[in-house]
Amino acid sequence: MAAHVLRLRFALLVGALRGSTAHVTRILLGLVLLVAATVAACWALVSLTDAAPDALFAVTVLGGSALTFGFALAPVIGGVDDPLDPRRFSLLALGHGRLAAVLAVAGFLSVPVFVLVAVSVTAATVWVEQGASVVGGVLGVVLGATTCVLTARVFMAMTSLFLRERRSRELTGLFALAVVVVLVPAAVFFGSLEWDGTVPTQVSEAVSVLAVTPLGAAWAYPGRLAQGSDDATLTLVVAVATVLVLALVWWALVRRLLTTTERPMTSRERAGLGWFGVAPGTPGGAIAARSLLYWTRDRRYLMNVVVIPIAAAVTVVPLLVAGVPLEIAILVPVPFAALFLGWLPHNDLAYDSTAVWMHVASGVRGFSDRLGRLVPVLLIGVPLLAVAVPLAVAMHGRWALLPALTGVCVSLFLSGLGLSSIASVLAPYAASRPGESPFQQPQRTGAGGAASQSLVMLGAIAFTVPVLWWSWEAMTIDIDQASTALWGGVGIGFGVLVVGVVIGSVLFERRGGRLMEFAEST
């Protein structure tokens, strides 16, 4: 039976070359490009045979960690059906453990794994030339390939089990956004390093950490052997433990899949519910999904998102005119953007117009309303700041200030969100109605709107004053204050956010009648 499953897997690989001429052409072209990329990668590794061990170690650990991360991420983002889904083999009468083992072995029969094995064998050969034992090189290849295959199996099973019903372009977009948040800052950081023939200290520290993590342990083992490092044993233990844990998780998932009935999808689910299909089925999730629709389709929200980067960038001009050095002025726009992003939802109830009655009439808890409305701003603000902060520091040229700038931005952003959660309930003011031009503002009888806007901004700045002071000290006196600014900013920001959401929740539940009156009168 196991041999039959493996033959089926091989038949699937060969079957990909059948079909229409256009389909076969695309497959062959993709294979040619993949083979060319594999040959280039192997040639690059071979060219490092005479390189310094530290450089070769950095390349293999970083590259291997990236491959392992890719095997974990591809099933989540790709959204393809798994041909080795255990439920497809439920009629073969195999035990849970035996089926898990057979499918794990069948997972090695795939084009990505063939490429992985070719690259890892080349890397192991280079390490043998550098002084590692043949047994150590082979063990590194086996552990690395097994880790990647089991990682793909585990994440494919988890995707099939938990995300199948919610698969949508919105969910794929969220995962892609998460990749941007991680990869762009890392790319900016590595691109800013000075490579003078030796591995920069920052890269060496990152590689040392990855070498004892599940991502990079298997790939680091041959290098540690060649270097004669005392950490070789620790690296081997982490790599073996990773394989054992993944195997145990894979077995548990196979058992769960074989004993769980898949819920059939209704016609409504097949049509797609957009953000409502992605968000949890709770009041807060429904409010978050509705808010996301507003932020992605309503011109009033879109205009705010477009204006913020422009307004933040413009702040550099008066600073330069006033004589502020460029390397300092370039750091200012990002905190301004963080402040404006936190300020955005300060009047979000008014943007609902009369639709706010749904929340009040249905008895939605204030916490669900307050938290659900912050989701779109967080999904916009976090990636934007994650990219903007390292870019600003890279242009400044002093990476030691990265923690300080991060702390300032986190404090401004989260403090603004916390204060906005209070202001939107306590002091809403008339705004343009849905469908109207975002530049058309209604007449106001008082100064409540200006006061609400000002208090949120000034309050966020006031809470961030200690972080600004620590950051200034880090820039001018003691760079060690950068860490204080980071943790102080994170602590202050999260504290204000939590308190603001709690207070806003209480106010929302107590002021429901007044909010209805406000919505009907504006």
Side-chain angles (χ1 to χ4, degrees), residues 297-304 307 350-351 430-444:
R297 299 182 183 182
D298 195 319
R299 293 179 298 172
R300 301 171 300 167
Y301 292 97
L302 293 174
M303 185 55 60
N304 288 331
V307 166
Y351 278 75
S432 54
R433 292 179 176 273
E436 294 180 349
S437 170
F439 301 103
Q440 177 181 346
Q441 296 297 324
Q443 295 292 331
R444 303 188 182 101

Side-chain angles (χ1 to χ4, degrees), residues 90-182:
S90 58
L91 299 179
L92 297 181
L94 291 175
H96 299 155
R98 188 180 178 189
L99 180 60
V102 170
L103 294 182
V105 174
F108 284 87
L109 298 177
S110 68
V111 175
V113 176
F114 294 157
V115 174
L116 171 71
V117 171
V119 174
S120 58
V121 167
T122 304
T125 303
V126 174
W127 277 121
V128 170
E129 293 291 332
Q130 291 273 4
S133 63
V134 176
V135 175
V138 173
L139 190 57
V141 172
V142 172
L143 289 174
T146 305
T147 299
C148 290
V149 170
L150 288 177
T151 299
R153 292 286 88 227
V154 166
F155 277 85
M156 188 73 79
M158 293 177 65
T159 301
S160 174
L161 191 61
F162 299 112
L163 299 182
R164 181 178 179 86
E165 298 164 2
R166 295 183 181 274
R167 175 67 61 186
S168 65
R169 62 180 181 181
E170 288 83 7
L171 185 61
T172 303
L174 289 179
F175 287 123
L177 207 60
V179 173
V180 170
V181 171
V182 175

Side-chain angles (χ1 to χ4, degrees), residues 435-472:
E436 294 180 349
S437 170
F439 301 103
Q440 177 181 346
Q441 296 297 324
Q443 295 292 331
R444 303 188 182 101
T445 57
S452 176
Q453 299 177 50
S454 302
L455 287 175
V456 171
M457 282 195 172
L458 294 177
I461 295 174
F463 281 112
T464 312
V465 165
V467 188
L468 292 170
W469 174 253
W470 292 324
S471 300
W472 179 255

Side-chain angles (χ1 to χ4, degrees), residues 10 34 42 46 52 64 66 71 104 150 160 170 179 201-202 221 230 252 255 272 322 342 378 385 391 407 409 461 485:
F10 184 76
L34 187 60
C42 294
V46 171
F71 271 85
L150 288 177
S160 174
E170 288 83 7
V179 173
T201 304
Q202 300 94 327
Y221 178 63
D230 296 334
R255 183 181 181 88
L378 290 171
L385 294 177
L391 282 175
C409 293
I461 295 174

Side-chain angles (χ1 to χ4, degrees), residues 27-342:
I27 295 296
L28 291 177
L29 181 60
L31 288 176
V32 170
L33 294 176
L34 187 60
V35 169
T38 304
V39 171
C42 294
W43 180 261
L45 286 171
V46 171
S47 66
L48 293 175
T49 303
D50 298 328
D54 289 343
L56 178 59
F57 186 72
V59 170
T60 53
V61 173
L62 291 175
S65 300
L67 285 173
T68 306
F69 184 70
F71 271 85
L73 201 62
V76 181
I77 294 182
V80 297
D81 290 332
D82 182 12
L84 297 178
D85 191 324
R87 286 175 290 203
R88 297 176 183 263
F89 302 91
S90 58
L91 299 179
L92 297 181
L94 291 175
H96 299 155
R98 188 180 178 189
L99 180 60
V102 170
L103 294 182
V105 174
F108 284 87
L109 298 177
S110 68
V111 175
V113 176
F114 294 157
V115 174
L116 171 71
V117 171
V119 174
S120 58
V121 167
T122 304
T125 303
V126 174
W127 277 121
V128 170
E129 293 291 332
Q130 291 273 4
S133 63
V134 176
V135 175
V138 173
L139 190 57
V141 172
V142 172
L143 289 174
T146 305
T147 299
C148 290
V149 170
L150 288 177
T151 299
R153 292 286 88 227
V154 166
F155 277 85
M156 188 73 79
M158 293 177 65
T159 301
S160 174
L161 191 61
F162 299 112
L163 299 182
R164 181 178 179 86
E165 298 164 2
R166 295 183 181 274
R167 175 67 61 186
S168 65
R169 62 180 181 181
E170 288 83 7
L171 185 61
T172 303
L174 289 179
F175 287 123
L177 207 60
V179 173
V180 170
V181 171
V182 175
L183 293 186
V184 172
V188 173
F189 172 70
F190 283 112
S192 67
L193 297 177
E194 296 182 1
W195 299 81
D196 55 358
T198 60
V199 181
T201 304
Q202 300 94 327
V203 176
S204 297
E205 293 175 353
V207 169
S208 299
V209 173
L210 283 173
V212 291
T213 64
L215 286 176
W219 310 101
Y221 178 63
R224 290 300 192 198
L225 283 179
Q227 294 172 340
S229 174
D230 296 334
D231 294 334
T233 303
L234 175 61
T235 303
L236 177 61
V237 170
V238 173
V240 173
T242 300
V243 171
L244 293 178
V245 171
L246 287 173
L248 182 62
V249 173
W250 168 238
W251 175 84
L253 287 171
V254 169
R255 183 181 181 88
R256 173 70 184 274
L257 287 168
L258 292 178
T259 56
T260 302
T261 303
E262 184 178 6
R263 185 174 72 88
M265 299 180 68
T266 64
S267 59
R268 188 182 182 188
E269 289 174 325
R270 293 191 185 96
L273 294 176
W275 289 113
F276 288 95
V278 176
T282 61
I287 293 172
R290 187 165 68 86
S291 299
L292 283 166
L293 288 178
Y294 290 167
W295 280 86
T296 54
R297 299 182 183 182
D298 195 319
R299 293 179 298 172
R300 301 171 300 167
Y301 292 97
L302 293 174
M303 185 55 60
N304 288 331
V305 176
V306 171
V307 166
I308 284 179
I310 299 175
V314 168
T315 58
V316 177
V317 178
L319 293 175
L320 294 177
V321 173
V324 178
L326 177 61
E327 62 270 14
I328 296 178
I330 205 67
L331 298 175
V332 175
V334 184
F336 263 92
L339 177 62
F340 284 129
L341 285 169

